[in-house]
Amino acid sequence: MKKHKYVSKIIALMMVMVLAMFTLVACGSSSESSEAEIEAEKETAEEVVEEETEVEEAEAQEEEPQEQEEEVVEASGDGITIGMIWYGNVDPMGTTFYSWANEAADALGVDLIWQLGSFTTEEEVTDCENLISAGCDGIYFVPMAEVANLQLGNLCEEAGVYWATSNRDIVDTDIYESVMENPYFVCRIHDETYEVCKEMVRELAENGVTKVCILSGDPSDPLMADRNSGFSDGCEEYGIEILATTQGSYGDSNTDLNNIANFCTLYPDMDGLLLASSNGGAGAAAYQALETSGREKGSIKMAVFDNFDGSQDAFDDGWLVASCGGYTTECLVSFLALVNRVEGNIASDSVMEMTLSPLMISSPEDMEVFSAYVDNPDIYLYSDELIQSLVGPDVTEGDYQAVLDEWSLDFVKEAAGLD
Amino acid sequence: MHRSVRDTVRTIVPVLGLIIVFVLFSLTTGGKFLTLNNMKNMLMQSSITMVAAVGTTFVMAHNNLDFSLGGVCALCCVVAYLIAGTNIALFFLICIAMGILCGLFSSFLHIWGQIPAFMAGLCLMFAGRGIAQSTASRRSMVLTNAARFNTFWFFMIVLVAVVVAGFIVFNFTKIGKAQKLIGTNPKATQLSGINVNRYKVIAFAISGATVGIASCLTVARGASVVGNTGLNLETNVLLALSIGGIAVTGGSATRMRSAIIGTLIFYMLNNGLTLWGLNADYVDIVKAVFFLVTVSISIDRSQYDTIA
C-alpha cells in the first residue's frame, strides 16, 4: 500500500514536470518573438507579392523583382522544403506521383516531407499544421473536400506558406471566391472529367451497349460528382438505360465484387458496366466478378475510370472497352508551379487555374502502352531537363498549361521512345 | 516478475514514454518541436481524441468497449446540420444532445437487448456512417462559420473543462467509483445494493456526451460535414487509451490519466516524426513498433493469468 502511494507520488511529480515544461515552452518569451517573426514574414511576403505585381504591370521589368526574389529565397533558408500531403502509395497513380515528385525534387534540389494516408479534411489540417511546424516553405495537397481548400489555405496564409492543389475542382462559389483571394494560393489544376465520362459512355454505345449498371463515386466529392453526372448525362444522350446504381466502396474490393456479382445476377439483360473509379481494387474486383459470372466473355462491356491491375487482360478478353486515367501530370505540374513560386518566381499575378484532359484508352494496343508507360512508378516521362526548365524566372502560366495540353498517348509514346 | 513490481512498471511506463518522447523530439528537431505554434498544434490535434477518450474511460472502467465513436460523431454532425443548419450555437447543442441519445441507445441495446456492448457500438457505428454518407451524397453540408472556432483557446477551454469534469466525476463521485466496482465484479456490486444497469447507462451517456463534444471540435476543424467525418475516431481513442496503459478489463485499475497520457504520446509521436522528416514509408512502421513496445510493457495482463 505504501509502495503504491510512493509510485503515485512519482507519477504525479512526473506529470507536473511534463505540464510545467509545456507551460514554460508555451508561455516563454521566445515564442512571442517567433509569433512576431511569423507576422513579420507574412507581411514581408504579402508586400513582396503586391510589389512584384505592381512592378510587372508598370513594366519596370528587371531590377526590382530580382532583388525581391532574392529576399524571398533568403527568407526561406538555404534549401527549399515542400510539404506533400498525399493519399498514399495505394494504387498506380499514388505510387507514380510519389516516385515522380521525389525524382523532380532531386532534379531541382528541393527537400520533400511526405504525409501519407489522409482521407479527411481534419487529417489534412493536422498534416498541414505539422508540415508548417517542420519548416516547409510550400504545401501541396489534393483537397479531400472542397472546404479543405479553405481550411488549409487559411493555415498557410497565417504561416506565410505558399500552397497548391491538383485533381479537385471547387464548385462552391463562396469557397472559390474566398480561396482565390488568398495571397499564398499559387495554383490549382483539375481534370475535365465530365466530358471524358460522356466520351466513355459514347464508346459503350458504339459497342452496342443499351443497358448498364453503374458503380458510382462518392457524390460528396466534387470530382466523383462530376463523373457521376457525366455518366448519367452520357447515358441519356446516347440512349442507354441505367438499370441500377450502387456507390463504390473505395478500398473494400470484396464489397465491390459482391455488388457487381449482384448486378450480374439481378439484371440478366445488363450488357454494360460503368465504374466511376477502379482504384482501391474496384477495377480488379469488377473484372473478377465478370469472369466468374458465367456470362460469355465480352458479353458485358465495361468502361472504367483509372487504370487497374489486370486492365490489359480485361481489354484482351473483351470485357473492357474504355478506360480513362493518367492524372499524374497535373500533380507534377502543380508541384512544379509551387516550387517555382517558393523560389520567388512569379509565373502569374493571380492564382493559376489550369485543366488537364485525362487519357482515354479504347483499344488493347493503347492499353498496352498505357499499362507499360503511364502510372508506372519506374517510368519517368518527363526528363530532368524539362522539369528544371519549368522552374525559373521566365516561366509563365502558359508554359505549365502547354505541358498539360501536350498530355496524350502520342506524347507518352514519344517520351517512351516508341515512335 | 513479481506482481507488485509488474504493476509499478505498468504504471510508470506510459508516463516515462511521454517524457522520453517529449525529451527526444525536443533535442532532435532543432528547436522546431518546442516552438509555441507547434505546442499549440499538438494540443489542438489531440483535443478531439482526448475529449472522446475521457468519456470512453467510463465505459471501459465497467469492462466494456465502445466502437461506435466515429459513426456516432458523423451521425451527430449530420443530424445537427439538418436541424440547425449554419446556426453554430444550436449546432453544437444538438451535437451534444445527439451524442447523449446515441449513448443511451447503445446502453439500451446492451442492457435490455442483452447485446454485447461492443456489438451494439459496431451497429451504431455502421448506422451512423451509413446515414452520414447517404445524407452527404444528397447535399453539401459546409459550415464555414464553424471554422472561426478552430482556435487554440476554444479548443483548450473545451478540453480542460471536459478533462477536469471527467477527472472529478470519475475519481470523486459515486458514478466513477461505481464504474470501477462493476468492472471489478459486477455480481458483487449488484449484491451490495448498487444498481449496475443504472450506472452502466450513465457511463454510456457520458461517453455519448463526450463524443458529441468531440463532434463539435471535429466540425470546427473540418468546417464541413461529409460522409467520412469522424473517420477512425474509435481506433484513435482505443489506441490512445491502450498506449496510456488503461486496464482493458476495467475495474479499480482504470485511471483517467490513461486518456491524457496516451493521447499526448499518440499525437506527439505523429508530430515529431514529421518534424524529423522521416521517410513516409517508415513512419507507420516506427509508430507500430513504439505502440507495441509501450502497450506490451504497460497493459494489464491480469486477465491472461490463467492462460498457459
Side-chain angles (χ1 to χ4, degrees):
Chain A
M1 196 65 184
K2 272 185 182 174
K3 195 164 190 174
H4 180 74
K5 279 186 178 174
Y6 178 68
V7 169
S8 298
K9 278 178 188 170
I10 290 174
I11 288 169
L13 192 66
M14 284 174 169
M15 290 286 282
V16 167
M17 282 168 63
V18 171
L19 289 173
M21 284 169 86
F22 263 98
T23 314
L24 283 171
V25 168
C27 304
S29 57
S30 62
S31 55
E32 280 169 21
S33 63
S34 70
E35 253 191 353
E37 280 165 18
I38 287 167
E39 193 59 37
E41 276 177 17
K42 185 182 164 185
E43 279 170 16
T44 311
E46 279 174 355
E47 279 167 20
V48 169
V49 172
E50 283 168 16
E51 282 172 22
E52 283 177 349
T53 308
E54 281 167 18
V55 168
E56 275 196 349
E57 284 174 357
E59 293 180 357
Q61 292 171 350
E62 305 265 317
E63 294 173 6
E64 286 187 36
Q66 278 176 3
E67 284 170 15
Q68 288 150 352
E69 281 157 15
E70 282 165 13
E71 268 181 51
V72 175
V73 173
E74 279 168 14
S76 64
D78 293 328
I80 285 172
T81 306
I82 303 292
M84 310 290 286
I85 302 174
W86 188 238
Y87 66 91
N89 301 330
V90 292
D91 55 30
M93 180 184 158
T95 49
T96 302
F97 179 58
Y98 184 73
S99 172
W100 281 19
N102 283 327
E103 182 74 10
D106 281 345
L108 297 169
V110 171
D111 291 326
L112 301 184
I113 302 180
W114 290 89
Q115 291 279 281
L116 303 179
S118 294
F119 288 96
T120 67
T121 303
E122 301 90 86
E123 288 172 340
E124 289 197 309
V125 166
T126 298
D127 288 344
C128 187
E129 287 171 344
N130 289 341
L131 289 170
I132 288 169
S133 290
C136 290
D137 306 295
I139 305 282
Y140 161 85
F141 65 97
V142 176
M144 284 298 153
E146 279 190 297
V147 80
N149 289 286
L150 199 63
Q151 295 291 80
L152 274 73
N154 288 341
L155 286 172
C156 289
E157 189 179 356
E158 280 169 23
V161 169
Y162 289 105
W163 58 288
T165 68
S166 68
N167 301 86
R168 293 291 185 278
D169 197 3
I170 304 174
V171 180
D172 187 298
T173 49
D174 291 338
I175 294 174
Y176 176 79
E177 284 168 13
S178 180
V179 296
M180 294 305 277
E181 287 171 4
N182 189 315
Y184 291 89
F185 192 8
V186 177
C187 112
R188 69 183 196 94
I189 306 174
H190 61 94
D191 38 79
E192 294 161 336
T193 292
Y194 177 81
E195 288 302 329
V196 178
C197 279
K198 288 173 74 170
E199 280 292 295
M200 291 169 80
V201 178
R202 185 180 59 78
E203 198 70 37
L204 282 188
E206 285 177 359
N207 277 277
V209 170
T210 55
K211 291 181 168 74
V212 295
C213 287
I214 302 176
L215 201 66
S216 64
D218 177 2
S220 60
D221 176 342
L223 178 78
M224 290 298 167
D226 260 1
R227 291 183 185 179
N228 294 345
S229 305
F231 280 157
S232 57
D233 292 352
C235 286
E236 195 176 331
E237 197 172 319
Y238 297 107
I240 293 178
E241 185 187 347
I242 298 172
L243 297 171
T245 302
T246 299
Q247 192 174 313
S249 165
Y250 187 87
D252 185 355
S253 54
N254 275 336
T255 304
D256 290 328
L257 188 129
N258 291 339
N259 283 334
I260 293 162
N262 287 341
F263 284 157
C264 296
T265 311
L266 296 171
Y267 303 101
D269 51 348
M270 174 181 83
D271 56 5
L273 186 62
L274 288 162
L275 263 70
S277 174
S278 67
N279 280 341
Y287 178 40
Q288 195 187 342
L290 294 177
E291 281 280 285
T292 53
S293 65
R295 305 271 190 108
E296 191 186 334
K297 270 190 197 299
S299 60
I300 296 173
K301 312 283 186 198
M302 186 165 62
V304 306
F305 248 99
D306 308 318
N307 187 22
F308 63 91
D309 294 334
S311 296
Q312 186 65 51
D313 293 337
F315 249 114
D316 292 341
D317 290 344
W319 295 115
L320 189 61
V321 295
S323 175
C324 181
Y327 323 98
T328 317
T329 294
E330 65 181 283
C331 311
L332 182 70
V333 170
S334 180
F335 165 71
L336 293 173
L338 177 64
V339 172
N340 190 48
R341 186 67 194 88
V342 170
E343 285 200 351
N345 306 311
I346 300 175
S348 167
D349 54 8
S350 59
V351 179
M352 290 183 270
E353 294 183 85
M354 295 175 273
T355 53
L356 173 104
S357 290
L359 303 179
M360 173 87 162
I361 302 110
S362 52
S363 72
E365 294 75 30
D366 285 350
M367 191 70 232
E368 209 166 312
V369 174
F370 187 94
S371 298
Y373 299 103
V374 182
D375 284 352
N376 183 339
D378 298 324
I379 303 283
Y380 302 103
L381 294 173
Y382 296 97
S383 65
D384 286 356
E385 291 74 31
L386 183 73
I387 284 166
Q388 283 160 351
S389 73
L390 289 169
V391 175
D394 301 324
V395 177
T396 64
E397 183 176 351
D399 295 328
Y400 292 125
Q401 187 60 60
V403 172
L404 297 169
D405 291 342
E406 204 182 359
W407 182 238
S408 64
L409 271 178
D410 288 338
F411 166 80
V412 173
K413 286 174 188 169
E414 194 184 329
L418 297 179
D419 283 343
Chain B
M1 201 187 293
H2 193 269
R3 191 178 191 89
S4 62
V5 176
R6 198 171 58 189
D7 285 350
T8 308
V9 170
R10 189 169 61 78
T11 316
I12 286 177
V13 162
V15 186
L16 210 58
L18 179 65
I19 292 170
I20 289 170
V21 169
F22 185 88
V23 172
L24 179 70
F25 288 131
S26 299
L27 297 175
T28 56
T29 54
K32 289 174 187 168
F33 185 76
L34 289 173
T35 60
L36 171 69
N37 281 330
N38 195 48
M39 288 292 141
K40 280 180 172 176
N41 286 344
M42 266 191 300
L43 286 171
M44 282 181 75
Q45 288 165 15
S46 58
S47 296
I48 297 171
T49 305
M50 202 185 292
V51 163
V54 165
T56 308
T57 305
F58 284 82
V59 176
M60 288 187 80
H62 71 239
N63 194 11
N64 265 321
L65 286 173
D66 191 353
F67 285 112
S68 69
L69 308 183
V72 169
C73 176
L75 184 63
C76 290
C77 294
V78 166
V79 172
Y81 184 87
L82 293 177
I83 296 172
T86 54
N87 181 338
I88 294 301
L90 186 60
F91 181 95
F92 284 174
L93 283 175
I94 293 170
C95 265
I96 297 167
M98 194 62 205
I100 295 170
L101 272 178
C102 288
L104 292 174
F105 184 65
S106 212
S107 63
F108 172 80
L109 290 177
H110 169 53
I111 295 164
W112 285 279
Q114 301 283 302
I115 294 170
F118 78 92
M119 189 52 75
L122 280 174
C123 295
L124 261 178
M125 182 188 77
F126 286 121
R129 184 67 58 211
I131 290 168
Q133 282 176 345
S134 62
T135 310
S137 70
R138 287 172 178 77
R139 60 188 300 169
S140 163
M141 294 180 281
V142 176
L143 282 150
T144 47
N145 52 345
R148 70 174 187 268
F149 291 98
N150 188 26
T151 64
F152 177 70
W153 291 113
F154 178 74
F155 273 59
M156 281 312 98
I157 289 167
V158 173
L159 180 65
V160 170
V162 170
V163 170
V164 169
F167 186 79
I168 292 169
V169 174
F170 193 71
N171 291 309
F172 303 110
T173 70
K174 204 175 168 183
I175 294 171
K177 287 173 184 171
Q179 305 305 330
K180 290 182 237 178
L181 283 173
I182 296 166
T184 306
N185 192 332
K187 280 191 177 169
T189 309
Q190 183 77 44
L191 290 171
S192 67
I194 293 173
N195 187 335
V196 169
N197 287 348
R198 183 172 159 228
Y199 283 103
K200 277 189 173 182
V201 171
I202 292 172
F204 277 103
I206 291 172
S207 177
T210 54
V211 175
I213 296 167
S215 310
C216 302
L217 299 180
T218 303
V219 167
R221 224 160 145 71
S224 65
V225 182
V226 292
N228 58 11
T229 293
L231 192 69
N232 298 331
L233 181 62
E234 61 282 331
T235 318
N236 292 347
V237 166
L238 293 175
L239 188 56
L241 286 169
S242 301
I243 299 165
I246 199 160
V248 183
T249 49
S252 57
T254 314
R255 294 284 182 272
M256 187 56 77
R257 65 166 178 265
S258 303
I260 302 163
I261 296 169
T263 314
L264 285 177
I265 292 176
F266 184 78
Y267 284 93
M268 219 176 259
L269 199 64
N270 197 38
N271 177 272
L273 293 176
T274 304
L275 298 187
W276 271 0
L278 186 71
N279 187 324
D281 295 334
Y282 305 125
V283 168
D284 286 340
I285 299 170
V286 171
K287 278 189 203 170
V289 170
F290 180 86
F291 295 157
L292 188 63
V293 170
T294 314
V295 172
S296 307
I297 300 169
S298 64
I299 202 158
D300 179 9
R301 289 190 175 79
S302 55
Q303 72 270 35
Y304 304 124
D305 279 358
T306 52
I307 299 175

